[in-house]
Amino acid sequence: MAVSAQLRSRGNGPLARAMKRFAANNVTLVGLAILLVMLALVVFHPWLLRYKPNDIDLLAINKGPSAAHWFGTDGVGRDILARVLHGGRISLLVAGSSVVISLVIGYVVGALAAMAGRVVDAVLMRLVDLAMTLPPVILLLVIASITGAGILSTIAVISLLSWPVLARMVRARLMELRERDFVIAARGMGASLGHLLWRHGLPNTIDILVVYAALQFAAAILLEAGLSFLGLGIPPPEASWGNMLNAARSTVVLEQYPWQWLFAGGALVLTVLAINFVGDGLRDAFDPRSELN
């Protein structure tokens, strides 16, 4: 009886209730389905398509969608469908890596500011204030022009701009948490700062981290696309959604060969919308006020 009661209490815990609210959101489930399909396509496309993203066919230059090339070809005869899916893999890799890095930096800075004392708090918060006052677009252009184009530099640029807001949110949550009895008791028993951050800080900020990661993932995809569109992100001939959209800067391509940028733009918009739907669902699911509705 005691075991069954314990299992029932776990099934009705905060995480279980959050997952139930998430599963009850139809729009979120649609976004999740779209996102999973897109992930499957970008991961497994080398085994699904007959063309590679950089294969050149001089007999099929600027051809429209057809049975041979479903999304058409570009100015050197490369298959647009293969490049869209391969570009999605690069864009998602850049976005995912930058989100992980910004999560680590944001959590560590915010948690240290809340738990490591007033001096550390003052220094770290002035650093966060400085990072938040810098104009993001100009900073992106300056850093990207210094580091050069490429996958690693693009990840670094996006990561450096994404962590300050998360650091403030984590700090605000842990400033309230550090006054709780169990944290005070842990300090009194000699718990180290690392123990407090790992055993108490991280579990109590997991909702912030999950929601932030989902929403920041979409923002990172758009930032990568913007950098690549400006020629400061992923350099050709490597495909990404951003540098495929760069083809639309040519009036000839924009008017006469719309398939060369339209499908990449559509995949970008669809993926960002799906991620936003999932992020909104996670935010609502982890919001304690949802219990009242």
Side-chain angles (χ1 to χ4, degrees), residues 49-121:
L49 302 179
R50 55 184 293 194
Y51 300 103
K52 289 182 170 36
N54 290 323
D55 285 350
I56 296 175
D57 184 0
L58 298 179
L59 299 179
I61 294 177
N62 291 326
K63 296 295 183 181
S66 64
H69 301 278
W70 291 1
F71 286 6
T73 61
D74 63 6
V76 293
R78 294 175 298 192
D79 185 71
I80 295 296
L81 175 58
R83 290 184 64 76
V84 166
L85 295 181
H86 184 73
R89 175 185 287 188
I90 298 298
S91 295
L92 295 177
L93 172 64
V94 170
S97 302
S98 62
V99 166
V100 171
I101 295 173
S102 64
L103 280 176
V104 173
I105 297 175
Y107 174 75
V108 170
V109 172
L112 287 177
M115 296 287 196
R118 293 183 178 180
V119 176
V120 176
D121 183 24

Coordinates of all heavy atoms in Angstrom, one line a residue, residues 49-121:
L49 N 17.9 10.2 -50.7 CA 18.0 10.9 -52.0 C 19.1 10.4 -52.8 O 20.2 9.9 -52.3 CB 18.3 12.4 -51.7 CG 17.3 13.2 -50.9 CD1 17.7 14.6 -50.7 CD2 15.9 13.1 -51.5
R50 N 19.0 10.5 -54.1 CA 20.0 10.0 -55.0 C 21.1 11.0 -55.3 O 22.1 10.7 -55.8 CB 19.3 9.6 -56.4 CG 18.5 10.7 -57.0 CD 17.8 10.3 -58.3 NE 18.7 10.0 -59.3 CZ 18.4 9.8 -60.6 NH1 17.1 9.9 -61.0 NH2 19.3 9.5 -61.5
Y51 N 20.8 12.3 -55.0 CA 21.8 13.3 -55.2 C 22.4 13.8 -53.9 O 21.8 13.8 -52.9 CB 21.1 14.5 -55.9 CG 20.5 14.2 -57.3 CD1 19.1 14.1 -57.4 CD2 21.3 14.1 -58.4 CE1 18.5 13.8 -58.6 CE2 20.7 13.8 -59.6 CZ 19.4 13.6 -59.7 OH 18.8 13.4 -60.9
K52 N 23.7 14.2 -54.0 CA 24.4 14.8 -52.9 C 24.3 16.3 -53.0 O 24.1 16.8 -54.1 CB 25.8 14.4 -52.8 CG 26.0 12.9 -52.4 CD 27.5 12.5 -52.3 CE 27.7 11.2 -51.7 NZ 26.7 10.2 -52.0
P53 N 24.4 17.1 -51.9 CA 24.1 18.5 -52.0 C 25.1 19.3 -52.9 O 24.7 20.3 -53.4 CB 24.3 19.0 -50.5 CG 25.0 17.9 -49.8 CD 24.6 16.6 -50.5
N54 N 26.3 18.7 -53.1 CA 27.3 19.5 -53.9 C 27.6 18.8 -55.3 O 28.5 19.2 -56.0 CB 28.6 19.7 -53.2 CG 28.5 20.6 -52.0 OD1 27.7 21.6 -52.1 ND2 29.1 20.3 -50.9
D55 N 26.7 17.8 -55.6 CA 26.9 17.2 -57.0 C 26.5 18.2 -58.1 O 25.4 18.8 -58.0 CB 26.0 15.9 -57.1 CG 26.6 14.8 -56.3 OD1 27.7 14.9 -55.8 OD2 25.9 13.7 -56.1
I56 N 27.3 18.3 -59.0 CA 27.1 19.3 -60.1 C 26.6 18.5 -61.4 O 27.3 17.6 -61.8 CB 28.3 20.1 -60.4 CG1 28.7 21.0 -59.2 CG2 28.1 21.0 -61.7 CD1 30.0 21.8 -59.3
D57 N 25.5 19.0 -62.0 CA 25.0 18.4 -63.2 C 24.9 19.6 -64.2 O 24.0 20.4 -64.2 CB 23.7 17.8 -63.0 CG 23.2 17.1 -64.3 OD1 23.8 17.1 -65.3 OD2 22.1 16.5 -64.2
L58 N 25.9 19.7 -65.1 CA 25.9 20.8 -66.1 C 24.8 20.7 -67.1 O 24.5 21.7 -67.8 CB 27.3 20.9 -66.8 CG 28.5 21.1 -65.9 CD1 29.8 21.1 -66.7 CD2 28.4 22.4 -65.1
L59 N 24.1 19.6 -67.2 CA 23.0 19.4 -68.2 C 21.7 19.8 -67.5 O 20.7 19.8 -68.2 CB 22.9 18.0 -68.7 CG 24.2 17.5 -69.4 CD1 23.9 16.0 -69.8 CD2 24.4 18.3 -70.7
A60 N 21.7 20.2 -66.2 CA 20.5 20.5 -65.5 C 20.6 21.9 -64.8 O 20.2 22.0 -63.6 CB 20.1 19.4 -64.6
I61 N 21.2 22.8 -65.4 CA 21.5 24.1 -64.8 C 20.2 24.9 -64.8 O 19.5 25.1 -65.8 CB 22.6 24.9 -65.5 CG1 23.9 24.2 -65.3 CG2 22.7 26.3 -65.0 CD1 25.1 24.8 -66.0
N62 N 19.8 25.5 -63.6 CA 18.6 26.3 -63.5 C 17.3 25.7 -64.0 O 16.4 26.3 -64.5 CB 18.8 27.7 -64.2 CG 19.9 28.5 -63.5 OD1 20.0 28.5 -62.3 ND2 20.6 29.3 -64.3
K63 N 17.2 24.4 -63.7 CA 16.0 23.7 -64.1 C 15.0 23.8 -63.0 O 15.3 23.7 -61.8 CB 16.3 22.2 -64.4 CG 17.2 22.0 -65.6 CD 16.6 22.4 -66.9 CE 17.5 22.1 -68.1 NZ 16.9 22.5 -69.3
G64 N 13.7 23.9 -63.4 CA 12.6 24.0 -62.4 C 12.3 22.7 -61.8 O 12.9 21.6 -62.2
P65 N 11.4 22.6 -60.8 CA 11.0 21.4 -60.2 C 10.5 20.4 -61.3 O 9.7 20.7 -62.2 CB 9.9 21.8 -59.3 CG 10.2 23.2 -58.9 CD 10.8 23.8 -60.2
S66 N 10.9 19.1 -61.2 CA 10.6 18.1 -62.1 C 10.7 16.7 -61.4 O 11.0 16.6 -60.2 CB 11.5 18.1 -63.3 OG 12.9 17.8 -62.9
A67 N 10.4 15.7 -62.2 CA 10.4 14.3 -61.6 C 11.9 14.0 -61.2 O 12.1 13.2 -60.3 CB 9.9 13.3 -62.6
A68 N 12.8 14.5 -62.0 CA 14.2 14.2 -61.7 C 14.7 15.0 -60.5 O 15.5 14.5 -59.6 CB 15.1 14.4 -62.9
H69 N 14.4 16.3 -60.4 CA 14.8 17.1 -59.3 C 13.5 17.8 -58.8 O 13.0 18.7 -59.3 CB 15.7 18.2 -59.8 CG 17.0 17.7 -60.4 ND1 18.1 17.3 -59.6 CD2 17.3 17.4 -61.7 CE1 19.0 16.8 -60.4 NE2 18.6 16.9 -61.7
W70 N 13.0 17.3 -57.7 CA 11.7 17.7 -57.1 C 11.7 19.2 -56.8 O 10.6 19.8 -57.0 CB 11.4 16.9 -55.9 CG 11.1 15.4 -56.2 CD1 11.1 14.8 -57.4 CD2 10.7 14.4 -55.2 NE1 10.8 13.5 -57.3 CE2 10.6 13.2 -55.9 CE3 10.6 14.4 -53.8 CZ2 10.2 12.0 -55.3 CZ3 10.2 13.2 -53.2 CH2 10.0 12.0 -54.0
F71 N 12.7 19.7 -56.3 CA 12.8 21.1 -56.0 C 13.6 21.9 -57.0 O 13.9 23.1 -56.8 CB 13.4 21.4 -54.6 CG 12.5 21.0 -53.4 CD1 11.3 20.4 -53.7 CD2 12.9 21.2 -52.1 CE1 10.5 20.0 -52.6 CE2 12.1 20.9 -51.1 CZ 10.9 20.3 -51.3
G72 N 13.9 21.3 -58.1 CA 14.7 22.0 -59.1 C 16.2 22.0 -58.9 O 16.7 21.3 -58.0
T73 N 16.9 22.8 -59.6 CA 18.4 22.9 -59.5 C 18.8 24.4 -59.4 O 18.0 25.3 -59.8 CB 19.1 22.2 -60.7 OG1 18.8 22.8 -61.9 CG2 18.7 20.7 -60.7
D74 N 20.1 24.6 -59.1 CA 20.6 26.0 -59.0 C 21.4 26.3 -60.2 O 21.4 25.6 -61.2 CB 21.3 26.2 -57.7 CG 22.6 25.3 -57.6 OD1 22.9 24.6 -58.6 OD2 23.2 25.3 -56.5
G75 N 22.2 27.4 -60.1 CA 22.9 27.9 -61.2 C 24.1 27.0 -61.7 O 24.6 27.3 -62.8
V76 N 24.5 26.0 -60.9 CA 25.5 25.1 -61.4 C 25.0 23.7 -61.5 O 25.8 22.7 -61.6 CB 26.8 25.2 -60.5 CG1 27.4 26.5 -60.6 CG2 26.4 24.9 -59.0
G77 N 23.7 23.5 -61.4 CA 23.1 22.2 -61.5 C 23.0 21.3 -60.3 O 22.8 20.1 -60.4
R78 N 23.1 21.9 -59.1 CA 23.0 21.2 -57.9 C 21.5 21.0 -57.5 O 20.7 21.9 -57.7 CB 23.8 21.9 -56.7 CG 25.3 21.9 -57.0 CD 26.0 22.7 -55.9 NE 25.6 24.1 -55.9 CZ 26.3 25.0 -55.2 NH1 27.3 24.7 -54.5 NH2 25.8 26.3 -55.3
D79 N 21.2 19.9 -56.9 CA 19.8 19.5 -56.5 C 19.4 20.4 -55.3 O 20.0 20.3 -54.3 CB 19.7 18.0 -56.2 CG 18.3 17.6 -56.0 OD1 17.5 17.6 -56.9 OD2 18.0 17.3 -54.8
I80 N 18.3 21.1 -55.5 CA 17.9 22.0 -54.4 C 17.3 21.3 -53.2 O 17.6 21.6 -52.1 CB 16.8 23.0 -55.0 CG1 17.4 23.9 -56.0 CG2 16.2 23.8 -53.8 CD1 18.5 24.8 -55.5
L81 N 16.6 20.2 -53.5 CA 16.1 19.4 -52.3 C 17.2 18.9 -51.5 O 17.2 18.9 -50.2 CB 15.3 18.2 -52.9 CG 14.7 17.2 -51.8 CD1 13.9 17.9 -50.8 CD2 13.9 16.1 -52.5
A82 N 18.3 18.3 -52.1 CA 19.4 17.8 -51.3 C 20.1 18.9 -50.5 O 20.5 18.8 -49.4 CB 20.4 17.1 -52.2
R83 N 20.2 20.1 -51.1 CA 20.8 21.3 -50.5 C 19.9 21.8 -49.3 O 20.5 22.3 -48.3 CB 21.2 22.4 -51.5 CG 22.3 21.9 -52.4 CD 22.7 23.0 -53.4 NE 23.3 24.2 -52.7 CZ 24.5 24.3 -52.1 NH1 25.3 23.2 -52.2 NH2 24.9 25.3 -51.6
V84 N 18.6 21.8 -49.5 CA 17.7 22.3 -48.5 C 17.9 21.4 -47.2 O 18.0 21.9 -46.1 CB 16.3 22.3 -49.0 CG1 15.3 22.5 -47.8 CG2 16.1 23.5 -49.9
L85 N 17.8 20.1 -47.4 CA 17.9 19.1 -46.3 C 19.3 19.2 -45.7 O 19.4 19.1 -44.4 CB 17.6 17.7 -46.8 CG 16.1 17.6 -47.2 CD1 15.8 16.1 -47.6 CD2 15.1 18.0 -46.2
H86 N 20.3 19.2 -46.5 CA 21.7 19.3 -45.9 C 21.9 20.7 -45.2 O 22.5 20.7 -44.2 CB 22.7 19.2 -47.0 CG 24.2 19.2 -46.5 ND1 24.7 18.1 -45.8 CD2 25.1 20.1 -46.6 CE1 25.9 18.4 -45.5 NE2 26.2 19.6 -45.9
G87 N 21.3 21.7 -45.8 CA 21.4 23.0 -45.2 C 20.6 23.1 -43.8 O 21.1 23.7 -42.9
G88 N 19.5 22.3 -43.8 CA 18.8 22.2 -42.5 C 19.7 21.5 -41.4 O 19.7 21.9 -40.3
R89 N 20.5 20.5 -41.8 CA 21.3 19.8 -40.9 C 22.4 20.8 -40.3 O 22.6 20.9 -39.1 CB 22.0 18.7 -41.6 CG 23.1 18.0 -40.7 CD 23.8 16.9 -41.5 NE 23.0 15.7 -41.7 CZ 23.5 14.6 -42.2 NH1 24.8 14.5 -42.5 NH2 22.7 13.6 -42.4
I90 N 23.0 21.6 -41.2 CA 24.0 22.6 -40.8 C 23.3 23.7 -39.9 O 23.9 24.0 -38.8 CB 24.6 23.3 -42.0 CG1 25.4 22.2 -42.8 CG2 25.6 24.4 -41.5 CD1 26.5 21.5 -42.1
S91 N 22.2 24.2 -40.3 CA 21.5 25.2 -39.5 C 21.1 24.7 -38.1 O 21.3 25.4 -37.1 CB 20.3 25.8 -40.3 OG 20.7 26.4 -41.5
L92 N 20.6 23.5 -38.1 CA 20.2 23.0 -36.8 C 21.4 22.6 -35.9 O 21.3 22.7 -34.7 CB 19.3 21.7 -37.0 CG 17.9 22.0 -37.7 CD1 17.2 20.7 -37.9 CD2 17.1 22.9 -36.8
L93 N 22.5 22.2 -36.6 CA 23.7 21.9 -35.8 C 24.2 23.2 -35.2 O 24.6 23.2 -34.0 CB 24.7 21.3 -36.7 CG 26.1 21.1 -36.1 CD1 26.1 20.1 -35.0 CD2 27.1 20.7 -37.2
V94 N 24.3 24.2 -36.0 CA 24.7 25.5 -35.4 C 23.8 26.0 -34.3 O 24.3 26.5 -33.2 CB 24.8 26.6 -36.6 CG1 25.1 28.0 -36.0 CG2 25.9 26.2 -37.6
A95 N 22.5 26.0 -34.5 CA 21.6 26.5 -33.5 C 21.7 25.6 -32.3 O 21.7 26.1 -31.1 CB 20.2 26.4 -34.1
G96 N 21.7 24.3 -32.4 CA 21.7 23.4 -31.2 C 23.0 23.6 -30.4 O 23.0 23.7 -29.2
S97 N 24.1 23.7 -31.1 CA 25.4 23.9 -30.4 C 25.5 25.2 -29.7 O 25.9 25.3 -28.5 CB 26.6 23.8 -31.4 OG 26.6 22.5 -32.1
S98 N 25.0 26.3 -30.3 CA 25.0 27.6 -29.7 C 24.1 27.7 -28.5 O 24.4 28.3 -27.5 CB 24.7 28.7 -30.7 OG 23.4 28.5 -31.2
V99 N 22.9 27.0 -28.6 CA 22.0 27.0 -27.5 C 22.6 26.2 -26.3 O 22.5 26.7 -25.1 CB 20.7 26.3 -27.9 CG1 19.8 26.0 -26.6 CG2 19.9 27.2 -28.8
V100 N 23.3 25.1 -26.5 CA 23.9 24.4 -25.4 C 25.0 25.2 -24.7 O 25.1 25.3 -23.5 CB 24.5 23.1 -25.9 CG1 25.4 22.4 -24.8 CG2 23.4 22.1 -26.3
I101 N 25.8 25.9 -25.5 CA 26.9 26.7 -24.9 C 26.3 27.9 -24.2 O 26.7 28.2 -23.0 CB 27.8 27.2 -26.1 CG1 28.5 26.1 -26.7 CG2 28.8 28.3 -25.5 CD1 29.3 26.5 -27.9
S102 N 25.3 28.6 -24.7 CA 24.6 29.7 -24.0 C 23.9 29.2 -22.8 O 23.9 30.0 -21.8 CB 23.7 30.4 -25.0 OG 22.6 29.6 -25.3
L103 N 23.4 28.0 -22.8 CA 22.7 27.5 -21.5 C 23.8 27.3 -20.4 O 23.5 27.7 -19.3 CB 22.0 26.1 -21.8 CG 20.7 26.2 -22.5 CD1 20.2 24.7 -22.8 CD2 19.7 26.9 -21.6
V104 N 24.9 26.7 -20.8 CA 25.9 26.5 -19.8 C 26.4 27.8 -19.2 O 26.6 28.0 -18.0 CB 27.1 25.7 -20.4 CG1 28.3 25.6 -19.4 CG2 26.6 24.3 -20.8
I105 N 26.8 28.8 -20.1 CA 27.3 30.1 -19.7 C 26.2 30.8 -18.8 O 26.5 31.4 -17.8 CB 27.7 30.9 -20.9 CG1 28.9 30.2 -21.6 CG2 28.2 32.3 -20.4 CD1 29.3 31.0 -22.9
G106 N 25.0 30.9 -19.4 CA 24.0 31.6 -18.7 C 23.7 31.0 -17.3 O 23.5 31.8 -16.3
Y107 N 23.6 29.7 -17.2 CA 23.3 29.1 -15.9 C 24.5 29.3 -14.9 O 24.2 29.7 -13.8 CB 23.0 27.6 -16.0 CG 22.9 26.9 -14.7 CD1 21.7 27.1 -14.0 CD2 23.9 26.2 -14.1 CE1 21.6 26.5 -12.7 CE2 23.8 25.6 -12.9 CZ 22.6 25.8 -12.2 OH 22.5 25.2 -10.9
V108 N 25.7 29.1 -15.3 CA 26.8 29.2 -14.4 C 26.9 30.7 -14.0 O 27.1 30.9 -12.7 CB 28.1 28.8 -15.1 CG1 29.3 29.2 -14.3 CG2 28.1 27.3 -15.4
V109 N 26.8 31.7 -14.9 CA 26.9 33.1 -14.5 C 25.8 33.4 -13.5 O 26.0 34.1 -12.5 CB 27.0 34.0 -15.7 CG1 26.9 35.4 -15.3 CG2 28.2 33.7 -16.5
G110 N 24.6 33.1 -13.9 CA 23.4 33.4 -13.0 C 23.5 32.8 -11.7 O 23.2 33.4 -10.6
A111 N 23.9 31.5 -11.6 CA 23.9 30.7 -10.4 C 25.1 31.3 -9.5 O 24.9 31.4 -8.3 CB 24.1 29.3 -10.7
L112 N 26.2 31.5 -10.1 CA 27.3 32.1 -9.3 C 26.9 33.5 -8.7 O 27.3 33.8 -7.5 CB 28.6 32.2 -10.1 CG 29.3 30.9 -10.4 CD1 30.5 31.1 -11.3 CD2 29.7 30.2 -9.1
A113 N 26.3 34.3 -9.5 CA 25.9 35.6 -9.0 C 24.9 35.5 -7.8 O 25.0 36.3 -6.9 CB 25.2 36.4 -10.2
A114 N 24.1 34.5 -7.8 CA 23.1 34.3 -6.7 C 23.7 33.7 -5.5 O 23.3 34.0 -4.4 CB 21.9 33.5 -7.2
M115 N 24.6 32.7 -5.7 CA 25.1 31.9 -4.6 C 26.5 32.2 -4.1 O 26.9 31.7 -3.0 CB 25.1 30.4 -5.0 CG 23.7 29.9 -5.3 SD 22.7 29.6 -3.8 CE 21.4 28.6 -4.5
A116 N 27.3 33.0 -4.8 CA 28.7 33.1 -4.5 C 29.0 34.4 -3.7 O 30.2 34.6 -3.4 CB 29.6 33.0 -5.7
G117 N 28.1 35.1 -3.3 CA 28.3 36.3 -2.5 C 28.1 37.6 -3.2 O 28.0 37.7 -4.4
R118 N 28.1 38.7 -2.4 CA 27.8 40.0 -3.0 C 28.8 40.5 -4.0 O 28.5 41.2 -5.0 CB 27.6 41.0 -1.9 CG 26.4 40.8 -1.0 CD 26.3 41.8 0.1 NE 25.1 41.6 0.9 CZ 24.7 42.4 1.9 NH1 25.5 43.4 2.2 NH2 23.6 42.1 2.6
V119 N 30.1 40.3 -3.7 CA 31.2 40.8 -4.6 C 31.1 40.1 -5.9 O 31.1 40.8 -7.0 CB 32.6 40.6 -3.9 CG1 33.7 41.0 -4.9 CG2 32.7 41.4 -2.6
V120 N 31.0 38.8 -5.9 CA 30.9 38.1 -7.2 C 29.6 38.5 -7.9 O 29.6 38.7 -9.1 CB 30.9 36.6 -6.9 CG1 30.6 35.8 -8.2 CG2 32.2 36.1 -6.3
D121 N 28.5 38.7 -7.2 CA 27.2 39.1 -7.8 C 27.4 40.4 -8.4 O 26.9 40.6 -9.6 CB 26.2 39.2 -6.7 CG 24.8 39.5 -7.2 OD1 24.6 39.3 -8.4 OD2 24.0 40.1 -6.5

